[in-house]
Amino acid sequence: MKQLQVKTSSSEYPIYIGEDCLSVLAPFLQQATQTIVVTDQTVYDLHYQKLSHVLPENTITYIITPGESSKSFDCYHQIQTFLIESQVDRQACLLAFGGGVVGDLAGFVAATYMRGIDFIQIPTTLLAHDSAIGGKVAINHELGKNLIGAFYPPKAVVYDLRFLRTLSEKEWRCGLAEMVKHGFIANPSLLRQLLQIQSLDALLDETFAQLLIQSLMVKMEIVQMDEFEQGCRAYLNFGHTFGHAIELDEKELSHGEAVAIGILFSLYLSEHIFGIDLAIGQYLTYLKRLHFPLPFNVDHAKRYLGYMMHDKKNQRKQVRFVLLNQLAKPELVSFSIAGLETLLKQFLSEFTTKEERVCH
Ligand SMILES: NC(=O)c1ccc[n+]([C@@H]2O[C@H](COP(=O)([O-])OP(=O)(O)OC[C@H]3O[C@@H](n4cnc5c(N)ncnc54)[C@H](O)[C@@H]3O)[C@@H](O)[C@H]2O)c1
Ligand SMILES: [Zn+2]
């Protein structure tokens, strides 16, 4: 087991990562008057038993429906009602046991129940190595994702890698996209090793665990420098401007699969703006080798543009992108709508015609 320590201006908490490391929860739970587990049905069925060994007797558990639709006011309200009816007090500890959806939702419940109770992130997906660190918690509004939330750091993050064994290929791809993102913006050696992955089978070995720790450290270091997203934390949005547009347009894609396409476009823009070579071809080969879906279409250019114009990062009718002026050197660049439209259409037609077999 490895332990890392996140230290920001407002908080400090440990991250435990390794196989079979749930026993580190015991001292945290002993201090609490009560333990509440929030999880989803899939995680409950697959892994609750492993967790149950360390839970105190008076633990209560709330199970949500898996999926993004549970990050809702409705579900948030139901969990709050459950806590009030169970007479949970302010010295209780809430365990967010699941992927990013459970982490974001249960974290926001913990942030607001009686003005805040302790919570611990127990991530169970690959993507959640990213979402469980940094203290951003949120639910969705029908007008946009993650619009209602808080910065509320957990007391600890406990990442037991045994949980990852049951992930679907889609979930592996989803998490890999965020790892590759961390490689591009901050760690070329991590990037090189990730781009060499030949298949998703049997990924969870010792070497991969090392890559996961490196990726986690990129997130951790950025959060430590800029906890409240006043500066460099925005670089974590690399690939997300176009990624969010694709995610909204193609409902079948997971967040990470959409981000993987967003990264492709960010590399294209970076090469164009800074006149550098970021080996796009190599990245595209990697995506195809691991069967990332690439469903972008030149006919949807206007729609993508519409989505990007509503991005949270935008200022004064310009669309802001995180680009790379070289590998691991991110920079924010603004585009006028007209300028972006030209480059987007150029990108889409170039990659759609070349890649007819995969881009339908
Ligand atoms: N707070 C942040 O900083 C941050 C960062 C990135 C993403 N996010 C959020 O994270 C969410 C996406 O996270 P996610 O991809 O983990 O989604 P998720 O929590 O919906 O999990 C994806 C699916 O995998 C299942 N699952 C979870 N663990 C499993 C396991 N061990 N084995 C088998 N199946 C398992 C879940 O039941 C679900 O169906 C989004 O809502 C996104 O907004 C937050
Ligand atoms: Zn993301």
Side-chain angles (χ1 to χ4, degrees):
M1 180 180 76
K2 189 168 170 69
Q3 183 181 342
L4 305 164
Q5 195 74 7
V6 182
K7 287 184 194 156
T8 69
S9 55
S10 73
S11 66
E12 180 169 348
Y13 53 93
I15 303 170
Y16 303 95
I17 174 168
E19 294 266 336
D20 203 355
C21 59
L22 295 175
S23 57
V24 299
L25 285 165
F28 292 96
L29 305 183
Q30 272 155 19
Q31 284 169 23
T33 46
Q34 190 167 22
T35 300
I36 308 105
V37 181
V38 176
T39 187
D40 75 24
Q41 189 67 54
T42 306
V43 176
Y44 181 84
D45 293 343
L46 289 168
H47 299 297
Y48 189 80
Q49 227 182 359
K50 295 184 192 78
L51 180 66
S52 66
H53 297 302
V54 294
L55 297 175
E57 246 172 41
N58 66 343
T59 299
I60 53 172
T61 299
Y62 192 93
I63 303 173
I64 64 163
T65 307
E68 188 69 28
S69 62
S70 286
K71 269 172 68 174
S72 63
F73 276 99
D74 229 21
C75 199
Y76 168 78
H77 180 241
Q78 284 164 21
I79 302 174
Q80 297 283 12
T81 307
F82 173 73
L83 298 183
I84 297 165
E85 286 180 351
S86 309
Q87 298 184 323
V88 168
D89 67 26
R90 294 183 69 183
Q91 277 69 48
C93 181
L94 190 153
L95 306 182
F97 182 44
V101 164
V102 167
D104 279 12
L105 168 70
F108 188 54
V109 168
T112 46
Y113 181 72
M114 294 194 174
R115 298 192 181 80
I117 57 170
D118 286 355
F119 93 111
I120 294 178
Q121 291 272 16
I122 310 176
T124 62
T125 62
L126 185 58
L127 178 123
H129 86 282
D130 175 8
S131 60
I133 297 162
K136 275 194 187 180
V137 294
I139 57 172
N140 300 329
H141 187 280
E142 54 272 28
L143 295 179
K145 270 190 66 168
N146 298 327
L147 292 183
I148 320 295
F151 286 99
Y152 192 70
K155 288 290 156 200
V157 179
V158 181
Y159 201 14
D160 189 328
L161 300 179
R162 288 177 302 168
F163 299 139
L164 303 183
R165 297 222 167 82
T166 50
L167 290 179
S168 65
E169 292 206 342
K170 196 174 178 69
E171 276 305 316
W172 275 105
R173 276 185 214 108
C174 183
L176 278 173
E178 302 282 3
M179 290 177 74
V180 165
K181 176 194 81 178
H182 290 152
F184 270 119
I185 63 173
N187 188 335
S189 148
L190 168 65
L191 176 69
R192 204 167 38 248
Q193 294 175 76
L194 288 170
L195 295 187
Q196 279 166 9
I197 292 174
Q198 297 299 314
S199 100
L200 295 174
D201 302 332
L203 255 195
L204 203 61
D205 58 9
E206 192 53 38
T207 328
F208 187 77
Q210 288 310 316
L211 298 184
L212 192 49
I213 291 170
Q214 284 182 55
S215 176
L216 210 137
M217 285 171 74
V218 170
K219 171 82 184 236
M220 189 178 108
E221 279 159 16
I222 290 179
V223 166
Q224 290 184 151
M225 283 188 280
D226 177 24
E227 184 178 17
F228 300 114
E229 203 160 343
Q230 309 287 308
C232 69
R233 189 161 179 173
Y235 296 154
L236 292 168
N237 285 314
F238 181 64
H240 281 59
T241 310
F242 188 50
H244 281 147
I246 291 278
E247 194 176 358
L248 288 167
D249 197 57
E250 270 294 335
K251 301 277 183 278
E252 293 301 300
L253 290 184
S254 69
H255 172 72
E257 288 173 333
V259 167
I261 297 172
I263 291 176
L264 190 66
F265 184 47
S266 300
L267 293 176
Y268 181 85
L269 289 179
S270 301
E271 288 195 345
H272 186 88
I273 297 297
F274 296 111
I276 50 170
D277 180 5
L278 289 168
I280 282 199
Q282 195 194 353
Y283 176 62
L284 191 59
T285 307
Y286 157 86
L287 292 181
K288 287 199 264 180
R289 189 166 63 235
L290 299 191
H291 305 293
F292 274 82
L294 302 169
F296 44 84
N297 189 324
V298 68
D299 301 334
H300 291 198
K302 283 272 184 213
R303 261 156 58 187
Y304 299 149
L305 213 57
Y307 291 133
M308 287 194 277
M309 280 158 63
H310 291 106
D311 194 274
K312 274 183 283 188
K313 295 186 296 301
N314 295 343
Q315 288 173 345
R316 295 191 207 96
K317 299 211 168 155
Q318 299 242 308
V319 181
R320 294 223 288 177
F321 275 81
V322 180
L323 300 185
L324 302 176
N325 62 39
Q326 56 174 290
L327 217 53
K329 291 275 180 282
E331 181 177 326
L332 279 168
V333 179
S334 294
F335 290 84
S336 67
I337 307 296
L340 180 61
E341 182 169 2
T342 309
L343 286 164
L344 177 65
K345 284 186 174 157
Q346 211 171 291
F347 164 80
L348 291 170
S349 49
E350 201 173 305
F351 281 82
T352 311
T353 44
K354 262 194 204 161
E355 310 300 334
E356 265 165 1
R357 274 167 294 123
V358 279
C359 309
H360 31 262

